[in-house]
Amino acid sequence: MILSEIELIEPEENRVKIAKDDRYLYYDYLIIATGTHPRPDETPGLSESEWRQSIHDFYTFEGATALAKKLRTWEGGKLVVNIMELPFKCPVAPLEFIFLADWYFHEKQMRDKVELKLVTPLPGAFTKPRAASLLGSTLEDKNINLVTEFYTERVEPEKNLLISYDEEEVEYDLLVTVPVNMGADVIERSGLGDELNHVPVDKHTFQSTDHDNIFALGDAANLPTSKAGSVAHFAVEVFVDNFLRYIEGLPMLEKFDGHANCFIESGFGKGILIDFNYDVEPLPGKYPLPGFGPFSLLQESEMNHWGKVMFRWMYWNILLKGKEMPITAQMTMAGKWS
Amino acid sequence: MTTREIAGKEIEFDEEGFMTNPEDWDKDVAVALAADINITLSERHWEIIEFSREDYQAQGEAPGLRRITKEAGVPTKDLYKLFPKGPAKKIAYVSGLGKPTGCI
C-alpha cells in the first residue's frame, strides 16, 4: 500500500503519477474511488467573512463541531438549511438535520423562537414523487417551511441573504449549507470527469465510458442514484464478482440496479426508511421481511429509529469487517406495495 | 402518455409533459413548444437548444444547467433570462428531450 497524493492519471499511457518520489505506477486495470467533496469555494460569498460564524456546514468534522457549538448558545431566529447543487453526498442528510433541529429546539423549549426553512433547487422535498410527497407533508406537520426550485447563485454574508440566479432572496440568521459537491481535482486535471469532476461510467458495470480498463466506484462515479454509503456498499458487492469475470476475459454479467437504502431520523425517537433503485422509486411496505418488517418503508415509526440505532453496531461489527450483511445487493419488490 | 398535434405532427408526451421521442422533434416543433411556454426563440435560444440536442445524442440525457454553462459557455444567469423560472426543464422541453434527471 502506498499513501500518497495523486498528481495525474494518464489513461492513454495506463499509468498514474503519484506525488511521493515523483513515481509512476503502471496498471492493467484502474479502479478509481476518489469520492466527492463539499466545495464551499464554488459559491461566491459562502466561505468568506461569515464562514463558521453565521454560515455553517456539517459535512466536515470541523464544520459539524463548529455548528454544534454554535447551536448550544444560539438564541433563535431564522434557521435556513440550503442545498447548493445536485448531486450531493447523502441526499437525506439535510432533511434529517432539519427534522432533528426541530426536535432539538423543542427539547430546549425554544421552538417558538426558531423559524425553520429548507431551501432546495429541487421541485420538492425529494426527487422521487411519492417520497417527496410524504417528506413534504412531514415537513409541514413539523412547521418547517420548504422553498423549492431555488438555485443559489451567491450569498451576501453581510446582509444575511441567499440570492438565486433569478434574483429571488431568502433571509437567514443562521445558514446551514450543503455546499456544491465535486469529485477530486485529479479527475479534472486528468480529463476524466464531467462538469462536476465525477467519472462518467456505465451505470450497471461502473466501467468508464471512455476507457475500457478504468472503473469508478462509489461517489467518484456519475451514477444516476444517491451518493450514499448504502449505494457504494451494494455497488461493490455486485462489482467484485463482475470484475473478476472481466479480467478473465468473460463478459460482465451481474448488473447493478442503483439500489439505495437509507434511514431518515425524523426526531422524537422516530425514523423513516426508504429503499429504491434506478427504476423503482421509494414505495411503502415492510422491510427486510415482506409483510413482517419489522421496519416500515416510507412511513414514520419508532421501530425505524431503533433500526438506525442498531445499524451503528452493524456498521462497526459487520460492514467494516467485511462480513456478509443480511440484505441483498439488488433491490427486491417483495414487501413493497405500489 | 398523451398525444398532441404540434406543428402538423402527432407528438407523444410523457406524464410530466416532456416529449417521449426526441427524433420526432424538428425546428417547427421547437417554435411551437416554446410558444406554449411563452418564449419567442432568438438566436441565443437556438444556440442552447442545439447544444442540448447534441449533448443528448452523446450522453443519452438532457443536460443540466451546470453542464450547459460549462460546456456551451452560457452563463447560468443568462439561462434564467432566456428560459425564466426553471430553465433546465424548459430547455429540455423546447429541445424535445426528457426531463433532466437532477439525480439524487
Side-chain angles (χ1 to χ4, degrees):
Chain A
M1 183 166 98
I2 302 169
L3 282 175
S4 168
E5 295 279 315
I6 307 162
E7 302 237 303
L8 198 66
I9 298 165
E10 299 178 33
E12 308 305 333
E13 311 289 334
N14 293 326
R15 65 183 187 182
V16 178
K17 189 178 185 208
I18 60 169
K20 197 176 178 185
D21 307 326
D22 266 337
R23 262 174 78 188
Y24 281 104
L25 304 175
Y26 287 82
Y27 61 80
D28 294 318
Y29 304 97
L30 179 69
I31 298 171
I32 298 173
T34 42
T36 193
H37 310 277
R39 292 285 297 268
D41 56 310
E42 284 285 312
T43 305
L46 190 64
S47 52
E48 293 166 19
S49 55
E50 285 294 310
W51 186 241
R52 307 259 155 91
Q53 305 293 318
S54 60
I55 304 176
H56 288 260
D57 75 324
F58 54 71
Y59 278 88
T60 57
F61 180 71
E62 296 76 20
T65 45
L67 175 57
K69 197 172 158 197
K70 174 82 182 182
L71 288 175
R72 276 200 285 273
T73 54
W74 192 54
E75 286 173 357
K78 296 186 175 78
L79 193 162
V80 171
V81 177
N82 98 298
I83 297 159
M84 290 292 178
E85 177 67 282
L86 306 169
F88 60 92
K89 278 196 262 209
C90 190
V92 300
L95 282 163
E96 203 162 42
F97 176 86
I98 210 158
F99 289 152
L100 293 176
D102 166 63
W103 187 27
Y104 176 79
F105 294 122
H106 261 286
E107 294 292 304
K108 285 187 86 176
Q109 298 186 340
M110 58 179 285
R111 181 63 180 88
D112 58 331
K113 294 193 183 106
V114 179
E115 192 188 312
L116 291 173
K117 196 177 270 183
L118 177 65
V119 179
T120 169
L122 286 167
F126 203 70
T127 37
K128 320 275 176 164
R130 293 184 71 160
S133 141
L134 170 91
L135 293 164
S137 61
T138 310
L139 288 169
E140 223 176 284
D141 293 345
K142 294 179 188 292
N143 198 18
I144 298 167
N145 297 314
L146 178 65
V147 178
T148 58
E149 304 200 36
F150 190 97
Y151 192 33
T152 305
E153 182 201 9
R154 64 187 195 276
V155 176
E156 296 214 353
E158 314 305 333
K159 293 184 190 159
N160 288 17
L161 288 177
L162 274 177
I163 298 169
S164 71
Y165 279 103
D166 46 358
E167 297 295 330
E168 299 284 327
E169 295 178 353
V170 169
E171 208 186 333
Y172 62 83
D173 295 307
L174 177 59
L175 176 65
V176 177
T177 189
V178 179
V180 174
N181 276 222
M182 293 178 84
D185 288 339
V186 67
I187 301 300
E188 186 180 31
R189 281 201 298 276
S190 310
L192 284 169
D194 64 9
E195 64 280 7
L196 285 163
N197 304 347
H198 298 133
V199 183
V201 294
D202 179 290
K203 67 178 185 175
H204 300 296
T205 63
F206 320 110
Q207 188 172 31
S208 154
T209 48
D210 296 329
H211 306 280
D212 285 350
N213 60 343
I214 297 183
F215 296 82
L217 295 181
D219 293 349
N222 78 336
L223 300 177
T225 184
S226 296
K227 293 204 176 297
S230 63
V231 175
H233 173 82
F234 298 136
V236 169
E237 221 173 277
V238 174
F239 174 73
V240 171
D241 290 342
N242 222 7
F243 180 63
L244 293 175
R245 288 181 63 88
Y246 183 69
I247 56 180
E248 280 182 31
L250 296 167
M252 286 190 273
L253 276 186
E254 287 192 75
K255 299 281 186 184
F256 181 58
D257 64 354
H259 188 192
N261 180 294
C262 316
F263 283 107
I264 308 167
E265 280 289 302
S266 53
F268 300 91
K270 291 183 181 174
I272 300 166
L273 179 64
I274 53 175
D275 191 61
F276 58 105
N277 70 11
Y278 290 138
D279 304 316
V280 180
E281 63 167 318
L283 295 172
K286 288 286 181 189
Y287 188 89
L289 299 176
F292 174 73
F295 308 122
S296 311
L297 293 171
L298 206 55
Q299 220 183 335
E300 219 186 350
S301 80
E302 284 183 18
M303 190 49 97
N304 288 343
H305 163 71
W306 288 111
K308 173 121 190 183
V309 173
M310 209 167 73
F311 181 72
R312 265 186 225 160
W313 182 88
M314 287 173 71
Y315 179 79
W316 293 105
N317 295 285
I318 299 182
L319 214 123
L320 285 194
K321 289 187 177 168
K323 294 184 185 165
E324 204 169 323
M325 289 279 286
I327 41 179
T328 54
Q330 252 97 8
M331 199 205 75
T332 165
M333 278 306 288
K336 294 188 174 64
W337 51 84
S338 45
Chain B
M1 219 78 89
T2 54
T3 309
R4 282 194 283 148
E5 197 186 307
I6 308 275
K9 292 172 89 172
E10 285 291 308
I11 306 264
E12 204 177 83
F13 293 87
D14 64 19
E15 56 273 19
E16 291 180 287
F18 292 85
M19 275 177 61
T20 50
N21 305 313
E23 54 281 11
D24 290 345
W25 179 94
D26 61 28
K27 292 199 166 182
D28 294 333
V29 172
V31 172
L33 291 176
D36 262 4
I37 52 171
N38 302 317
I39 292 174
T40 310
L41 297 179
S42 68
E43 211 168 295
R44 294 219 69 198
H45 289 98
W46 282 113
E47 271 173 41
I48 296 159
I49 293 167
E50 274 156 25
F51 167 78
S52 301
R53 295 279 309 176
E54 280 165 26
D55 197 59
Y56 169 80
Q57 295 299 336
Q59 307 291 329
E61 60 179 19
L65 293 185
R66 187 172 277 264
R67 183 163 182 88
I68 300 173
T69 295
K70 190 165 177 192
E71 302 294 327
V74 185
T76 309
K77 201 128 199 164
D78 293 1
L79 297 177
Y80 270 89
K81 284 189 189 128
L82 294 162
F83 297 89
K85 301 266 160 207
K89 276 191 272 179
K90 288 189 174 169
I91 293 165
Y93 178 74
V94 176
S95 308
L97 307 174
K99 188 180 169 183
T101 47
C103 34
I104 182 164

